[in-house]
Amino acid sequence: WMAGGDKRRSVGDSFLLHELDIALDMDRYIKDIYSQSIVHVMRLDGESDFEWTMRKTCYLSLTHFLRILLDRIDRISTAVGLEVRLPFCDHRLVEYVYNTPWLLKTYDGREKSLLRGASLDLIPTSINKRVKSPYPSIQDPAYTVKLRDNIREYLPSSNHAIFDLVNRDWLTRTLSKSVITNGSRNSLERVYDLALWLDIYKPELKLS
């Protein structure tokens, strides 16, 4: 929402069938869900447009994206017999830092400025200054290669239920590109998620 909004979608760019995309009115749906998601975000008196935007961004990260992070770390740790503690998710700390002005949160031009500053004399400099890990985004190029290979298995099938939802031409065109952008990779992940969901649960689709 905050990074691209409507700019992320353009004519012919959706992986959904054109008629389905129109019927679902995804652009309106995205706008409506966004409006509902920020309805409780209060704008402070005298707050600049930039600070207001960053406040909404932080709120969306806490109420939406954080759920994905917590679920993923729980699944990963459980799979190897570990129990993870997340002290920075203490609600008192989150509530306190949430109201800190964004310019203070990034006072030195880096991410996690407050945390780095607060822990400067507590942890080694090599840890304090190291580059933030992009978790949970996978950076290994092999991931995208494997994703494409898995999805290509569905293309020969003309009767798979995935093509009741997904534009085959878009899929073929995207898979043939030499470079997959982050936006295209996200769409390919959604397509693969849908295909697996259809394979596992075999729902009855009623499209009208």
Side-chain angles (χ1 to χ4, degrees):
W1 287 324
M2 301 305 296
D6 295 336
K7 296 179 181 178
R8 280 190 283 181
R9 289 172 49 82
S10 58
V11 176
D13 190 47
S14 173
F15 64 84
L16 295 173
L17 289 172
H18 181 64
E19 57 271 23
L20 179 60
D21 194 34
I22 293 176
L24 292 176
D25 197 0
M26 293 302 295
D27 289 331
R28 180 177 294 278
Y29 172 77
I30 292 172
K31 291 179 181 178
D32 288 346
I33 293 297
Y34 171 73
S35 297
Q36 294 171 24
S37 297
I38 64 169
V39 69
H40 296 299
V41 184
M42 297 178 60
R43 183 167 186 170
L44 302 182
D45 293 338
E47 191 171 48
S48 68
D49 290 342
F50 174 76
E51 286 283 354
W52 170 230
T53 296
M54 298 315 296
R55 178 179 293 278
K56 290 184 289 185
T57 302
C58 289
Y59 181 83
L60 292 173
S61 295
L62 290 170
T63 57
H64 290 71
F65 189 50
L66 183 60
R67 297 179 184 179
I68 300 174
L69 299 181
L70 295 178
D71 177 74
R72 184 165 298 185
I73 194 63
D74 183 59
R75 290 172 181 271
I76 291 174
S77 61
T78 302
V80 294
L82 295 177
E83 187 171 348
V84 176
R85 290 288 184 263
L86 304 166
F88 297 135
C89 282
D90 185 287
H91 70 93
R92 292 161 295 189
L93 180 60
V94 171
E95 290 170 1
Y96 179 78
V97 175
Y98 173 75
N99 285 308
T100 304
W102 182 258
L103 292 180
L104 182 56
K105 290 178 180 177
T106 56
Y107 67 86
D108 62 354
R110 297 192 64 184
E111 79 287 341
K112 299 183 181 291
S113 297
L114 287 180
L115 179 59
R116 294 180 193 276
S119 61
L120 190 60
D121 60 343
L122 300 175
I123 60 177
T125 302
S126 59
I127 296 177
N128 184 278
K129 300 296 184 182
R130 68 185 177 188
V131 178
K132 179 182 178 297
S133 172
Y135 171 87
S137 176
I138 300 173
Q139 304 300 306
D140 191 336
Y143 170 78
T144 303
V145 173
K146 183 62 175 177
L147 177 64
R148 287 207 276 193
D149 289 344
N150 288 347
I151 296 177
R152 282 194 179 102
E153 296 179 3
Y154 290 96
L155 285 176
S157 175
S158 60
N159 58 356
H160 194 282
I162 189 64
F163 296 112
D164 292 333
L165 306 171
V166 171
N167 185 324
R168 182 191 291 270
D169 290 338
W170 176 92
L171 189 57
T172 302
R173 186 170 64 252
T174 302
L175 291 174
S176 66
K177 293 180 179 178
S178 57
V179 177
I180 299 294
T181 64
N182 286 336
S184 294
R185 194 182 86 166
N186 289 339
S187 294
L188 289 176
E189 288 173 335
R190 300 293 79 74
V191 170
Y192 193 47
D193 286 344
L194 275 172
L196 291 176
W197 179 69
L198 291 168
D199 286 343
I200 294 171
Y201 296 104
K202 296 178 173 53
E204 181 181 354
L205 299 180
K206 294 183 179 181
L207 306 176
S208 57

